[in-house]
Amino acid sequence: RSRRGGSGSTGGWMDAPSAAGLGGADPQLQRFIEVETQKQRFQQLVHQMTELCWEKCMDKPGPKLDSRAETCFVNCVERFIDTSQFILNRLEQTQKSKSAFSESLSD
């Protein structure tokens, strides 16, 4: 099976502009941009998950979803969510340890 156009990476979910880069901009505008950025990231993740699980689980599209394909989709979505959460937690831990390391150097 071939993948349709995806590179297999996270697709730039971290590339979205952050409201922190706006400096002294209006707080309401900053909040709006943060919310829209989160929506965009969520939509990208859903798109990636849909593409990945469709390629993995759909052998032959038909009028009904057979039990094997349904089970495959459920497992695929659960593993995608688990993996995404693991990566986010790992990035958060890495950021915290970098912050703690740089604070200890400045003491």
Side-chain angles (χ1 to χ4, degrees):
R1 295 181 210 163
S2 65
R3 292 197 30 91
R4 294 174 308 197
S7 65
S9 71
T10 57
W13 62 274
M14 295 179 66
D15 297 338
S18 85
L22 294 175
D26 177 15
Q28 283 185 312
L29 176 60
Q30 286 181 348
R31 182 68 187 136
F32 174 77
I33 291 173
E34 288 172 5
V35 168
E36 291 302 311
T37 300
Q38 288 298 324
K39 286 180 188 177
Q40 179 186 12
R41 288 177 180 163
F42 178 75
Q43 288 172 344
Q44 286 174 326
L45 283 172
V46 169
H47 176 74
Q48 289 170 339
M49 180 182 60
T50 302
E51 182 178 11
L52 175 77
C53 294
W54 181 268
E55 292 293 324
K56 181 175 179 56
C57 299
M58 265 329 262
D59 291 332
K60 49 185 186 273
K64 292 182 86 176
L65 198 61
D66 65 19
S67 63
R68 187 206 63 77
E70 184 176 352
T71 301
C72 181
F73 276 115
V74 169
N75 289 333
C76 183
V77 169
E78 288 177 354
R79 294 303 69 79
F80 186 91
I81 291 170
D82 291 344
T83 302
S84 297
Q85 189 62 49
F86 174 81
I87 291 169
L88 289 174
N89 289 340
R90 184 71 177 153
L91 288 171
E92 189 176 287
Q93 289 174 354
T94 303
Q95 284 300 107
K96 285 180 183 176
S97 64
K98 283 181 182 178
S99 295
F101 180 72
S102 42
E103 284 176 14
S104 68
L105 288 179
S106 63
D107 288 344

